[in-house]
Amino acid sequence: MKRICSIFVMFLLVGGLFSEASASSTATLSISGVQTPYQLAIPGATNVPIGELSLSATGSDITLKQVFFLLSGSATQNLAKLTVWDGAVKIGEIPAVVFASSGNLAGTTIASTIVTVASGKVLTLKADFSAIPPGVNGGTICVNVKVSGGFSAWGKDTSQNIVYSTSETTFSTQARLISNLALAISATPNPATIGQSVTITVTGASSSA
């Protein structure tokens, strides 16, 4: 009888520990877009800031683990890489090939970033752009947080329970690539003598950004 009671008590203890480790978190994680100025970017430019995200937590500080982004616009093919920054530290990135292989909706693993209840967290989105041929028009690149598979981001609270977010942004943080014009430079007269006034003329293909 004592043996049976001991086994029953052990079962209750193990069951209690298991329930505690699997408990759902009461913490919440929210993400919103911070309106930033419309960015003009030169093809081939890197680390161009294109927007900010404001994250807030309730119930517990949350260690952010992953965020999903939707890429859209008329020049998505000219994005080389999207990166996520916490101040001066890069904490995540999505190469263009990953966006292209997933219908332009992809997630990035986040490294060591804590969203606190007291002050939240502001993250910066930056983009690397690929070069475009001379004479080809530029276009827009937009990035938004988007739900994928039921959530847009997730992290862990201080008890290591998973916290999901279904927040989405619609602020359309975006950059517009300036057209890469085919320029021609001429001088009149050419050649010129020392001290002679010279007129420099720059012409390019007619194109809009």
Side-chain angles (χ1 to χ4, degrees):
M1 183 65 180
K2 289 183 178 180
R3 186 181 183 88
I4 294 175
C5 290
S6 297
I7 293 174
F8 183 67
V9 170
M10 288 177 65
F11 174 78
L12 287 178
L13 288 173
V14 172
L17 290 173
F18 180 80
S19 298
E20 179 64 25
S22 303
S24 59
S25 177
T26 58
T28 62
L29 173 65
S30 299
I31 305 175
S32 60
V34 178
Q35 290 288 355
T36 55
Y38 193 91
Q39 296 293 324
L40 288 177
I42 299 173
T46 59
N47 291 330
V48 178
I50 61 172
E52 294 181 343
L53 298 176
S54 177
L55 291 81
S56 60
T58 63
S60 170
D61 292 350
I62 296 173
T63 301
L64 190 63
K65 295 294 186 179
Q66 190 175 37
V67 183
F68 286 86
F69 295 97
L70 176 66
L71 175 66
S72 61
S74 61
T76 55
Q77 72 278 6
N78 297 126
L79 177 74
K81 181 170 59 178
L82 174 71
T83 54
V84 185
W85 296 74
D86 182 359
V89 179
K90 185 174 71 173
I91 59 173
E93 69 175 47
I94 306 177
V97 65
V98 175
F99 274 120
S101 64
S102 59
N104 284 339
L105 177 57
T108 178
T109 300
I110 301 296
S112 304
T113 295
I114 298 177
V115 183
T116 65
V117 173
S119 57
K121 176 70 67 175
V122 174
L123 303 178
T124 302
L125 304 182
K126 297 183 181 181
D128 290 1
F129 299 104
S130 58
I132 59 177
V136 175
N137 286 353
T140 58
I141 291 177
C142 309
V143 178
N144 277 301
V145 175
K146 192 73 174 177
V147 168
S148 175
F151 56 92
S152 58
W154 70 276
K156 290 187 175 181
D157 65 15
T158 53
S159 298
Q160 297 303 301
N161 296 312
I162 295 177
V163 181
Y164 293 103
S165 174
T166 56
S167 299
E168 293 186 339
T169 62
T170 56
F171 62 102
S172 294
T173 288
Q174 61 182 343
R176 179 178 286 274
L177 286 176
I178 298 173
S179 300
N180 189 357
L181 302 179
L183 300 179
I185 301 176
S186 61
T188 305
N190 184 20
T193 59
I194 295 175
Q196 186 176 9
S197 177
V198 176
T199 300
I200 305 294
T201 303
V202 180
T203 58
S206 177
S207 178
S208 62

